[in-house]
Amino acid sequence: MNFIKSVKFDSSYPYAPKLKLPQFAFCGRSNVGKSSLINAILNRNIAHISKTPGKTTLINTFIINEMFYLVDLPGYGYAKRSKSMLKSWQYMINNYLKYSDNLIMVYVLIDSRHKAMKSDMDFIEWLVYYHKPFNIVFTKSDKSSQKIINENIENLIKQSNIPYFLTSAKKKKGIDKICRSMRINLENILA
Ligand SMILES: Nc1nc2c(ncn2[C@@H]2O[C@H](COP(=O)(O)OP(=O)(O)OP(=O)(O)O)[C@@H](O)[C@H]2O)c(=O)[nH]1
Ligand SMILES: [Mg+2]
């Protein structure tokens, strides 16, 4: 089941772009695995990955099947950058999400090894406040025990019914489920 037929790098934007086609956006703390997840979904190394947090500083967009975008956003909460730089990133991310009228889904990535942090919770609250559709994606499941992962999932999801995925970009775990869900979301908006 591969619904990815064509992939084209579109652009690296230093500002919030106004995109015309439907979009899936990938957000989360620096180093959580946004670019790796995008590569796993697209089944190629097209988004830049780094061991150093803060690699993606621009909004990178990829056009899929000449029909929709995957949007790789800079990570939030990276402490080693200056305060003013963090503010301008935050502003760019928030501005993009706030004014994009063709946003199908925001994937909020959380490292499955750790409890969600304050910056994650703040970001989720922001999405709720602005009525943005979002799902949670727990990343790097190959790096931790099932027990810890379950605790971290339970801690965040609790009784809420936010859909979530458990993934490993490295082991290609949970990737099919995300693809299936993306396809259903696309079919719904195009119907
Ligand atoms: N073991 C393991 N490592 C992963 C996985 N996903 C990402 N990584 C590693 O985590 C590091 C960061 O991955 P990126 O995909 O660059 O993370 P990012 O969220 O795009 O980071 P920024 O662009 O800096 O915000 C890299 O060293 C990846 O190889 C995974 O599923 N398993
Ligand atoms: Mg990145």
Side-chain angles (χ1 to χ4, degrees), residues 3 22-26 67-68 70 102-107 133-137 163 165 177-191:
F3 85 113
Q23 297 132 54
F24 295 93
F26 294 78
M67 199 178 109
F68 65 95
L70 296 197
N102 226 338
L103 193 59
I104 305 180
M105 188 59 71
V106 179
Y107 292 106
F134 72 95
N135 287 176
I136 305 286
V137 180
F165 301 90
K177 277 198 182 144
I178 295 192
C179 288
R180 212 170 302 137
S181 155
M182 287 171 84
R183 195 158 82 171
I184 293 168
N185 283 321
L186 266 173
E187 282 167 3
N188 285 343
I189 65 142
L190 296 175

Side-chain angles (χ1 to χ4, degrees), residues 31 33-36 47-50 55-56 60 72-75:
N31 216 41
K34 298 173 292 293
S35 304
S36 302
H48 294 294
I49 290 172
S50 167
K55 174 75 185 171
T56 312
N60 291 311
D72 191 1
L73 290 165

Side-chain angles (χ1 to χ4, degrees), residues 31-32 50 54 62 69 100 106 122 127 136 153 163 172:
N31 216 41
V32 69
S50 167
F62 305 92
Y69 286 99
S100 166
V106 179
D122 289 348
L127 292 170
I136 305 286
I153 292 178
K172 293 272 160 79

Side-chain angles (χ1 to χ4, degrees), residues 81-147:
R81 300 268 168 172
S82 72
K83 276 230 165 75
S84 65
M85 191 158 187
L86 285 181
K87 270 222 168 103
S88 79
W89 282 1
Q90 200 68 48
Y91 183 77
M92 180 167 79
I93 298 169
N94 289 5
N95 240 9
Y96 160 67
L97 293 172
K98 207 156 140 187
Y99 299 112
S100 166
D101 35 42
N102 226 338
L103 193 59
I104 305 180
M105 188 59 71
V106 179
Y107 292 106
V108 181
L109 277 63
I110 310 263
D111 192 324
S112 65
R113 292 174 294 175
H114 310 297
K115 280 204 167 62
M117 296 185 188
K118 183 169 183 301
S119 51
D120 298 316
M121 304 313 289
D122 289 348
F123 183 58
I124 290 171
E125 264 178 35
W126 187 93
L127 292 170
V128 172
Y129 182 82
Y130 284 102
H131 303 288
K132 297 295 172 187
F134 72 95
N135 287 176
I136 305 286
V137 180
F138 293 96
T139 61
K140 307 191 185 184
S141 70
D142 59 287
K143 282 194 143 186
S144 197
S145 75
Q146 195 60 49
K147 182 172 177 289

